Amino acid sequence: FYELSDSPNLFLKQFEDQLPHHNRRLKDRPADGFNLFGHAMEKDSGRRMAEGSTVSTTFNGPLDFKELYNGVDLDHYWDYEGSFTTPPCTEAVTFYIMMGRAPITQAQLDKFKVAIGWEGPAGNFRP
């Protein structure tokens, strides 16, 4: 859905400073990953390492998700039927993949990779 560009993605730019950073440390060791709320997670136990979020932001919302597709041709897409990813995995989902791509800078991509745990050898850590 994204293509590397010199122009930043304006939708993502609204809240990218709220994403967890790779240099966040708790106690004397780094976190193994972060959940969606920016809480540091411990990989072995799958538990939060600290109470509350230490993420700071200038974002004050709300998000207009229609801007996510700004500049992407909505008439051209692939679709396929699938299932929910949680049990009982009901087959009642239709996925839509846009053929066009939105811009994203390398810096924005790097921030998202760190936030979802793709920057290290462990890949996509999911607590």
Side-chain angles (χ1 to χ4, degrees):
F1 181 76
Y2 293 106
E3 181 173 56
L4 285 178
S5 170
D6 292 333
S7 302
N9 183 296
L10 299 179
F11 177 79
L12 301 176
K13 191 167 180 60
Q14 295 177 76
F15 59 89
E16 68 185 28
D17 63 334
Q18 188 171 346
L19 297 171
H21 312 214
H22 70 281
N23 60 358
R24 289 178 53 198
R25 297 180 74 86
L26 298 168
K27 300 181 182 173
D28 57 351
R29 66 184 193 85
D32 294 321
F34 301 93
N35 68 12
L36 290 175
F37 302 103
H39 301 128
M41 302 296 291
E42 189 173 52
K43 188 174 186 177
D44 292 335
S45 68
R47 296 181 178 205
R48 283 182 20 190
M49 294 176 64
E51 292 187 25
S53 175
T54 57
V55 176
S56 62
T57 182
T58 58
F59 176 72
N60 56 10
L63 280 176
D64 180 0
F65 280 93
K66 290 179 184 175
E67 291 184 27
L68 178 62
Y69 303 107
N70 192 16
V72 176
D73 183 357
L74 300 180
D75 293 328
H76 294 89
Y77 57 87
W78 293 283
D79 66 308
Y80 64 95
E81 295 180 4
S83 64
F84 288 102
T85 58
T86 54
C89 301
T90 306
E91 293 182 3
V93 179
T94 301
F95 294 94
Y96 295 92
I97 310 298
M98 306 311 297
M99 290 182 183
R101 295 181 220 156
I104 188 170
T105 64
Q106 185 66 53
Q108 286 178 315
L109 180 60
D110 291 344
K111 286 180 184 180
F112 279 87
K113 281 182 172 181
V114 168
I116 62 177
W118 280 3
E119 95 260 49
N124 185 3
F125 169 66
R126 297 179 185 194

